[in-house]
Amino acid sequence: MLAKTLVEGRDRAVVTTTPDTTATAAARLLHDRRIGALVVVDGSGAIVGILSERDVARGAALHGGGALDTLPVSALMSPKVTLCNPTDSVEKLMAVMTGLRIRHLPMVEDGKLVGMVSIGDVVKAALEDAAAEAQQLRDYIAT
């Protein structure tokens, strides 16, 4: 299965924010959209970072919860963003996410942000593949 299959059939628009957005506003966006990470883009739409719920929690722990009202996303985001492309295999995504201990991979095609893959997407696909393989083996044994 390919990465593009994981995002088919859902709104592929990725929720983004800017580096100067306050951490509180970003946290509210994460909450309201029920997502775990925001891609941080500059004025031209170029990816400059990623902000996860974990980054916000660390920021609150280090600076105090009240500081999130004034801290910009750029102070909390991870500036190094690992990307995937639509033709990456689920196995590759799983290896990258596990190896780097990350939960979200922005998907880029021809330099454009086209989706976001979460660890939940990858686990769900792996479970579906395992169930299908088990069923095929049961069918083979039964015949």
Side-chain angles (χ1 to χ4, degrees):
M1 185 179 296
L2 301 178
K4 65 182 175 183
T5 309
L6 301 177
V7 297
E8 285 177 352
R10 70 178 187 204
D11 181 8
R12 289 179 60 154
V14 179
V15 182
T16 62
T17 191
T18 60
D20 58 338
T21 301
T22 66
T24 297
R28 191 169 295 117
L29 186 56
L30 288 166
H31 173 270
D32 291 348
R33 291 299 200 88
R34 300 186 63 170
I35 55 176
L38 297 167
V39 177
V40 184
V41 296
D42 65 15
S44 68
I47 297 171
V48 296
I50 190 164
L51 181 78
S52 69
E53 293 170 313
R54 188 179 288 176
D55 295 326
V56 174
R58 284 186 182 129
L62 290 173
H63 304 287
L68 298 181
D69 290 336
T70 57
L71 275 175
V73 164
S74 60
L76 303 178
M77 71 181 193
S78 301
K80 183 179 178 195
V81 183
T82 302
L83 305 170
C84 70
N85 67 64
T87 57
D88 286 339
S89 69
V90 169
E91 292 80 13
K92 178 180 178 181
L93 299 178
M94 195 178 311
V96 168
M97 291 174 140
T98 302
L100 297 176
R101 298 187 58 159
I102 58 176
R103 298 177 185 176
H104 299 87
L105 288 171
M107 185 185 308
V108 176
E109 185 173 34
D110 299 324
K112 184 179 179 198
L113 183 61
V114 296
M116 177 79 91
V117 177
S118 74
I119 192 71
D121 299 326
V122 173
V123 169
K124 180 181 176 194
L127 290 173
E128 288 171 356
D129 285 348
E133 184 178 344
Q135 185 60 49
Q136 289 172 349
L137 290 171
R138 282 191 292 273
D139 292 345
Y140 176 74
I141 291 168
T143 58

